[in-house]
Amino acid sequence: MGRPPTRPAKLKDGFYIEVRNEGSKANGIKIRRDTKEEMEMAIEDYNRIKDVTVLGELKNDKWVNKKEAKAAKKK
């Protein structure tokens, strides 16, 4: 067996949600969708039986949430 990786894995660009069992404190599974509409459909599907946390959009290994939050406050 080889040596385990020490660097965290890079995530692809897209919209992410985290899904976990209801009442669970452990880390959930990250699910990626290409568009915001697809992410919202996935939230509706998983929300029935799981706890869903929206992580936001990732571009070039950086989260875009902060810009959206500032734009929402201005409106």
Side-chain angles (χ1 to χ4, degrees), residues 17-21 24-31 50-51 53 55:
I17 59 174
E18 185 176 39
V19 178
R20 66 180 78 174
N21 289 331
S24 175
K25 294 181 182 178
N27 290 340
I29 298 172
K30 290 181 181 143
I31 298 177
K50 304 279 186 181
D51 287 336
T53 305
L55 299 175

Side-chain angles (χ1 to χ4, degrees), residues 35-74:
T35 64
K36 191 170 186 175
E37 292 81 21
E38 290 176 357
M39 179 189 71
E40 291 171 355
M41 289 174 49
I43 290 170
E44 290 177 13
D45 291 341
Y46 288 110
N47 203 17
R48 295 180 191 138
I49 56 173
K50 304 279 186 181
D51 287 336
V52 178
T53 305
V54 177
L55 299 175
E57 183 179 7
L58 185 76
K59 281 189 179 178
N60 299 326
D61 291 330
K62 294 184 182 179
W63 293 101
V64 185
N65 298 10
K66 295 177 184 176
K67 292 180 184 177
E68 290 178 9
K70 289 180 183 177
K73 289 180 183 179
K74 290 180 183 178

